[in-house]
Amino acid sequence: NVTATAARLNGELTDDGGDTTTVTVYWGDNDGGTTAGNWDNNYSLGTQAEGTFYHDVSSLSSGTTYYYRYYASNSEGGAWASSTESFLTKPAAPTNVSATDGTHTDKVVITWTKSTGATGYKIYEGSNLLATVGDVATYDDTNAPAPTITAGSAVASDGTYMAHVALSLSGASTSNGASRTYKVVAVNETGDSADSSTDTGYRGVGSLTYQWQMSAGDSDASYSNL
């Protein structure tokens, strides 16, 4: 019952002494112990019978440890719960998720802004979990689709020139790697955050060079560089 901004504070009244008993809950991001004035927040649940009860709180900060304690009172006096309980809210979703667009030929680099209270991050491509990493803000997707090269066609002149053979290349082209869509989820010991916003990225094509070769004879074999 703990999310990034809300939680259910459970308690139990074990013995009301046979008298009408009022219960108050105290909570905050520091342990106020058994002094009401040391707590940041409080709320009276009114009269409670013996047994379990709870109070839902909201507007909490994500990735933060909170403490709470119940106090019960009736005409005979009052008593604090035997101990203070604590819980950690889930982290908020990472922000500023960005994937590189052709910056690298061998990978897509995904970066994000960390979430408070997160101990790790899950990186997804669509709905597929790519990796779970620690307390970092970057991940390299080296399995992103590679860019492609279309070789084209080589043409050599046949008897046009007495002193040489003219060589030309046509139809050569390149394409970036196929795009992938990424999202990041923050995690801590309580659970996972909501999904981040998404961003697309792809591997780019580097500078191309060409090397002409010729065969040793009139066959498609035994090539050497010109």
Side-chain angles (χ1 to χ4, degrees), residues 105-120:
T105 61
D106 59 342
K107 61 188 174 182
V108 175
V109 178
I110 304 99
T111 58
W112 58 89
T113 299
K114 291 182 179 181
S115 302
T116 300
T119 57

Side-chain angles (χ1 to χ4, degrees), residues 4 62 91-96 113-115 121 184-186 193-197:
S62 59
T95 57
N96 301 317
T113 299
K114 291 182 179 181
S115 302
Y121 298 89
V184 183
V185 173
S193 74
D195 293 349
S196 73
S197 58

Side-chain angles (χ1 to χ4, degrees), residues 37-216:
N38 290 343
W39 291 93
D40 298 328
N41 309 280
N42 67 82
Y43 179 82
S44 175
L45 279 67
T47 301
Q48 295 293 319
E50 290 182 1
T52 59
F53 51 83
Y54 64 86
H55 177 62
D56 290 330
V57 292
S58 59
S59 300
L60 303 178
S61 297
S62 59
T64 302
T65 298
Y66 282 90
Y67 304 85
Y68 75 95
R69 198 164 189 162
Y70 279 101
Y71 179 78
S73 62
N74 57 24
S75 61
E76 300 299 321
W80 287 91
S82 57
S83 64
T84 297
E85 299 298 321
S86 65
F87 60 92
L88 174 67
T89 53
K90 293 180 180 180
T95 57
N96 301 317
V97 173
S98 178
T100 53
D101 294 329
T103 306
H104 308 279
T105 61
D106 59 342
K107 61 188 174 182
V108 175
V109 178
I110 304 99
T111 58
W112 58 89
T113 299
K114 291 182 179 181
S115 302
T116 300
T119 57
Y121 298 89
K122 295 179 179 179
I123 298 90
Y124 288 86
E125 181 270 312
S127 60
N128 301 316
L129 176 63
L130 297 181
T132 300
V133 298
D135 187 18
V136 298
T138 185
Y139 174 75
D140 294 347
D141 180 15
T142 56
N143 291 319
T148 57
I149 300 173
T150 300
S153 300
V155 177
S157 61
D158 294 326
T160 306
Y161 306 98
M162 295 179 61
H164 64 274
V165 174
L167 306 175
S168 63
L169 181 68
S170 63
S173 64
T174 61
S175 297
N176 293 316
S179 294
R180 278 182 152 184
T181 301
Y182 300 93
K183 66 182 179 183
V184 183
V185 173
V187 300
N188 65 15
E189 63 184 61
T190 302
D192 294 0
S193 74
D195 293 349
S196 73
S197 58
T198 61
D199 192 47
T200 58
Y202 56 86
R203 288 166 61 175
V205 178
S207 300
L208 296 181
T209 59
Y210 300 89
Q211 174 66 61
W212 286 98
Q213 294 182 325
M214 66 177 181
S215 64

